[in-house]
Structures are given as structure tokens and as C-alpha cells.
Amino acid sequence: LLGRGFDPRAWLPSGRGRLLSAAELARYRGAAGDPGLYLAVLGRVFDVERGRRHYGPGGAYSGLAGRDATRAFATGDFTQAGLVDDVSALSPGEMLAIRSWLSFYRDSYHPVGKLVGRFYDENGAPTEALRQAEAAMEEALKFQAESEQRKQQFPPCNSEWSSAKGSRFWCSRQSGGVNRDWTGVPRKLYRPGSRGSHCVCVRATGPPWGQPASAEHSNRGDLDNPHLEEYEGCHPLSEQCVLKV
């Protein structure tokens, strides 16, 4: 077997599958005479034969086959320049997209093994690039959770604009897609490090966000948050604000 080129590292211990080189993976594009139809995401290789109409020759996602094109799953760039495994400098949202796709392939397709290259070394051990990618996804999850918490605290306003009437911002118990038992009043919210602002609905009664109702408070909700600013010309407790042209 060794004389035929058998590589003892080609199969990983404990049933974890094969180790494939980039050249070997490139043979699995589903064309006539190819041994199969594979793709890789973050160095994990999956058999996508069941999805041949998508990934096989002529399919909408055929460019993903036979390679690790992780970046394209986040960016949607299916040019040769975009069909690469470099995930550096991607946004938190893009890293979460990759995480979601990886979960999809784990649930939907048979795992084959690992691709030796950017994310796994010749022994199948994770590389620093993989550790960085996984850390970036964890940070993206935390960012997403914090964003959702901020949205619950400061739901976006409803808004409309016309050349005749100008801008109108208003709050309701469903504005911003956040169902709640309070309406709130419009305010400009400035994020740290951001130059601009956007309109949010702010609770005007009760304790500040995160404080129990039993705690001593001024009964002004989040109106005193330092990142908020009133709209000039609007009553501070009005549920809507109209800014004339």
C-alpha cells in the first residue's frame, strides 16, 4: 500500500474522516469521471451529491464545488476572486453568515473530513487561522446579542418623509418590530464612535433599563441616557415629531 502512495494520515483517528489536499478536493466537482461532488467550508469537507442540481456542473452554486470558498458564502461574490477561503476582515454579520452555512451543511450533508491548508494542518490539527475565525464568530454572536438587547431598550422609530411635509418620526407599541407594553417618545440615539444618529423610541416612565421597579428612581425611564438627544422643535414627551422641510 505504501508503494502505491498510501498516506497513513489520509484517514483521521476516531472516525473523523479523511484529510484531503487542495489538489485532491479539486477532483470532486461532480463532472463525468470525477469521483464525487464535495465542497468545503472553513476547512470542513462535505459530500454534497444530494444537492447535485445546485452544486454540480451547470448548477447555480457549481463554483463552490471542489474547493473551500468560505468567503463567498458571506459575500455572495462567486467570481474567481471571491471563491476563496480567506475570511479575514469580514464583518460580524458576514462571520455569522458563515457560521449559519456551516451549521446548514453539518445538518444537511455527510461530512467527509478536513482540507489541509488554511484551516487544518497536515495532521488535521486546527491552525491559527481557524482559531481566529472561530473567535471572530464568537465575537459576532456577542455583538448580535448586544444589538438585540439595545433594540429592546431603544426600538427604532417609525418614519416617513415627503418633499411637501418633511420628516415625521413616531412611536407605537410595535415600532421597530419590537412588541412591547409601552410606546415611548422619539429621540436621536448616538452610538459611541459613530458620527450620525438614528431615531429610537425611548421609555419615558419607570426605572432606567436594567433597574428593578422596586429600586429608587426618577420615573423617567431612559430619558436621561447620555447618548440621547431631543429633536429640536418637538415636545419632549410627544409620541411623534414632525420636522418641516
Side-chain angles (χ1 to χ4, degrees):
L1 287 177
L2 288 174
R4 294 179 184 173
F6 174 76
D7 185 345
R9 298 171 303 178
W11 286 87
L12 300 177
S14 305
R16 288 181 291 170
R18 299 166 58 188
L19 281 177
L20 292 90
S21 67
E24 183 178 6
L25 181 59
R27 297 173 53 226
Y28 287 78
R29 289 188 170 144
D34 285 357
L37 182 58
Y38 294 173
L39 61 73
V41 184
L42 280 182
R44 281 82 154 183
V45 182
F46 298 91
D47 184 336
V48 293
E49 181 63 41
R50 290 197 302 110
R52 170 170 285 275
R53 67 189 182 97
H54 303 295
Y55 305 107
Y61 302 109
S62 59
L64 300 172
R67 69 175 89 204
D68 188 330
T70 300
R71 191 177 188 88
F73 286 98
T75 65
D77 181 358
F78 291 96
T79 66
Q80 289 304 305
L83 292 168
V84 295
D85 59 1
D86 181 7
V87 297
S88 61
L90 291 181
S91 69
E94 289 170 329
M95 293 305 295
L96 286 179
I98 291 172
R99 185 178 185 274
S100 177
W101 277 110
L102 182 58
S103 178
F104 166 77
Y105 285 108
R106 282 172 170 165
D107 293 341
S108 305
Y109 293 99
H110 178 67
V112 174
K114 298 174 181 177
L115 175 64
V116 176
R118 184 182 296 272
F119 301 113
Y120 292 96
D121 66 20
E122 64 274 10
N123 296 311
T127 65
E128 181 60 27
L130 180 59
R131 286 188 282 270
Q132 290 178 1
E134 291 177 336
M137 286 189 286
E138 287 302 313
E139 283 298 312
L141 282 174
K142 289 169 58 178
F143 179 81
Q144 182 185 56
E146 291 168 358
S147 295
E148 183 57 34
Q149 185 177 10
R150 285 195 297 268
K151 186 176 179 181
Q152 294 294 322
Q153 181 181 7
F154 296 125
C157 304
N158 297 310
S159 64
E160 64 180 10
W161 178 88
S162 72
S163 58
K165 297 181 180 179
S167 299
R168 181 168 79 99
F169 304 102
W170 74 99
C171 295
S172 68
R173 293 194 174 191
Q174 295 83 34
S175 56
V178 178
N179 293 312
R180 53 194 187 275
D181 59 4
W182 52 275
T183 301
V185 296
R187 288 289 189 276
K188 297 178 186 178
L189 175 64
Y190 291 89
R191 300 286 187 208
S194 175
R195 296 180 180 178
S197 66
H198 65 279
C199 183
V200 297
C201 296
V202 180
R203 203 162 41 85
T205 60
W209 179 268
Q211 288 192 16
S214 58
E216 185 176 341
H217 57 81
S218 59
N219 198 35
R220 284 175 52 82
D222 291 307
L223 291 178
D224 297 322
N225 187 290
H227 300 301
L228 299 173
E229 182 179 311
E230 294 180 10
Y231 281 96
E232 187 175 351
C234 299
H235 190 282
L237 295 181
S238 174
E239 294 178 358
Q240 74 166 351
C241 182
V242 178
L243 306 178
K244 302 294 185 181
V245 177

